[in-house]
Amino acid sequence: MQFSLLPWYWRWGAMLTLATSLYALGRLHGQQAEHAQDNDAARAALVRVIRIQRKQAAISQIVAEQHETGRTRDGVVYRTIEKEVIRYVASPDHAVCHLDREWLRLHDAAALSVLPQPTGSADAAASDSTSDDALQTITDNYQACQDNARQLADLQAWVHQQLHH
């Protein structure tokens, strides 16, 4: 009853102050709860990122090991082929032929995946390139091609494993 002894404007002021205080406390509590939820969500996202990075590292390690194993095997194959090429070239029964410029021009265009340019008068002269040179170059090119194919296949395996694990 002592509250009724106060003038009306003090009563309204006290009620307004009480309401404002309750509103401010509620808002502060809500912001703290929202902040805690944001922290929990960020923590959960970080845990997911760490799991994904660990999984990717494991997959990358497996693919890298498979890649190196394949490259080692390919190296052995191509060293064997090179020995056979050398033995073939060194054979006394082997006949060497000189390649004309047109053969070289078309081969180079095919290797570079470009349209062949028309031959000029300078291209008509005999070439110093032999079938032995061509055999060695083609063997080296096939080895580089196989290495590129292995890299692409391993990249595809890595991507496939990333998407399906």
Side-chain angles (χ1 to χ4, degrees), residues 24-103:
L25 287 173
R27 186 160 175 90
L28 181 63
H29 179 70
Q31 287 176 345
Q32 288 174 342
E34 187 177 331
H35 186 64
Q37 285 177 338
D38 289 346
N39 285 342
D40 291 344
R43 199 172 303 115
L46 183 60
V47 167
R48 284 193 305 272
V49 166
I50 290 171
R51 272 194 214 126
I52 290 169
Q53 286 176 337
R54 285 182 182 163
K55 180 183 77 167
Q56 286 176 339
I59 291 170
S60 296
Q61 182 67 30
I62 291 167
V63 170
E65 289 170 2
Q66 291 171 347
H67 178 74
E68 284 306 312
T69 301
R71 284 191 67 187
T72 301
R73 187 184 71 241
D74 288 350
V76 170
V77 169
Y78 276 97
R79 278 193 299 278
T80 303
I81 291 170
E82 285 176 358
K83 288 178 186 176
E84 290 297 316
V85 167
I86 292 168
R87 196 175 74 175
Y88 169 75
V89 168
S91 170
D93 298 332
H94 168 65
V96 175
C97 66
H98 291 276
L99 303 174
D100 65 0
R101 297 247 183 227
E102 184 67 12
W103 188 95

